[in-house]
Amino acid sequence: MARDFKKGVIERFSCVLPVTDKTPVITLQEGSTPLIEASNIKKELGVNFRIFLKYEGMNPTGSFKDRGMTVAVSKAVEKGAHAVICASTGNTSASAAAYAVKAGIKCMVVIPEGSIALGKLSQALIHGASVVAVKGNFDRCLELVREICESYKVELVNSLNPFRIEGQKTASYEIAEALGRSPDYQFMPVGNAGNITAYWKGYCELKESRGYAPPRMMGFQAAGSAPIVEGKKVEDPQTVATAIKIGNPASWQQAVEARDSSGGVIDRVTDEEIIKSWRQLAAKEGVFVEPASAASLAGLRKYLELGKMDPAFTGDVVLILTGHGLKDPDIAVETVSRPPVVEADIEEVVRTAGIE
Ligand code: AN7
């Protein structure tokens, strides 16, 4: 399949998605995101293998969620739904709100109070979603939303909705198309674990249909919210990467299955490691992501440092960069030093800017 920028993932991948001629296509032309070769980071890490960045922040609402949302909302409309609902650490709500607008249906969003990055909240609000902030964490929000769906006529569009997983698996297809095979390793952040479930489904299908050997799935949670690594729910998850501040992942079992069947791992990276990698992506590759996305690179660096990845290995490593850096402006402004302020005078500007 050639890349077709006029088509969203439903039209590009209809042959592997649960859609028919009767499914309305609610799309914002998601997918077809860049796969950027990280040659500067490769040099800095001193490795032989190729490193690719799947820049999912380039989706219409700025995160990978759009791939799943186009399918979930289209199927909801096909079924005659008038409203969708989700719990969210931010990106799902931004995506659900935008696709609901496109479909002309209502969107309800339940978020943990004080734990949503500003960019994401502004998206849900500007798209006119009905946003409720709950005094509780994401896991509590998801419980509430699941209960609401049992008694009210609203469609759940969290990744528990199987159509979300179907749509998100299209990213595996795009990577395999670009490389002509599946990668050898894939590093990615893990929160609610829907995305690792979706990629794994895609890679298994590609093995079946094209004989491509699937990658080892290397999932990374934030150290303060690493329930899968610890083997138990985390009651009060903590991390600077609010997108993955999740203590009881909905797709826990599927993530374990992806890990074990692929010969991969689910491990943790500290906030410090996340921030270091987040800065490295921006400073060395010109790619600005939100902190959660940097867990991919932090995971790769950790495995190199631990000697668990051989730098001499030749093959392809893909890092999934799940969300755009502009989603979380607060963290950027807090972490990076402010520019110096000078008089509007040419000499002062030239000297301060370091122009020679
Ligand atoms: C940037 O928006 O859970 O493991 O409610 O926004 O599939 O949950 C977001 C998750 C990684 C983790 N990177 O993906 C939500 C939400 C970013 C994210 C994840 C999220 P999953």
Side-chain angles (χ1 to χ4, degrees), residues 63-140:
S63 87
F64 71 97
K65 305 283 182 184
D66 295 343
R67 293 179 186 277
M69 206 54 75
T70 181
V71 181
V73 170
S74 296
K75 294 300 280 187
V77 171
E78 181 177 4
K79 187 173 144 181
H82 295 292
V84 292
I85 189 168
C86 65
S88 183
T89 59
N91 280 324
T92 299
S93 66
S95 185
Y99 283 81
V101 163
K102 193 70 182 159
I105 62 175
K106 282 193 187 147
C107 178
M108 270 83 83
V109 163
V110 180
I111 55 169
E113 191 209 358
S115 287
I116 302 289
L118 195 62
K120 303 173 188 181
L121 180 59
S122 69
Q123 288 178 286
L125 294 171
I126 198 75
H127 292 309
S130 159
V131 180
V132 182
V134 166
K135 293 178 184 161
N137 60 28
F138 168 81
D139 304 291
R140 185 68 192 116

Side-chain angles (χ1 to χ4, degrees), residues 172-173 176 182 200-215 261:
S172 306
Y173 282 81
S182 294
W200 181 240
K201 185 165 198 288
Y203 286 125
C204 289
E205 290 178 9
L206 284 155
K207 182 178 180 218
E208 192 67 26
S209 61
R210 300 191 205 168
Y212 295 165
S261 320

Side-chain angles (χ1 to χ4, degrees), residues 22-24 26 71-84 105 149 152-157 161-163:
K22 294 194 186 68
T23 314
I26 312 299
V71 181
V73 170
S74 296
K75 294 300 280 187
V77 171
E78 181 177 4
K79 187 173 144 181
H82 295 292
V84 292
I105 62 175
C149 288
Y152 297 88
K153 279 186 67 179
V154 284
E155 278 299 298
L156 181 72
V157 292
N161 179 326
F163 298 125

Side-chain angles (χ1 to χ4, degrees), residues 64-65 88-92 189-195 243-244 246 290 322-323:
F64 71 97
K65 305 283 182 184
S88 183
T89 59
N91 280 324
T92 299
V190 173
N192 221 15
N195 209 27
I244 52 173
I246 295 174
E290 64 170 288
T322 45

Side-chain angles (χ1 to χ4, degrees), residues 277-293:
S277 295
W278 171 74
R279 295 186 76 139
Q280 192 181 22
L281 284 162
K284 299 295 168 188
E285 296 296 343
V287 175
F288 186 28
V289 300
E290 64 170 288
S293 303

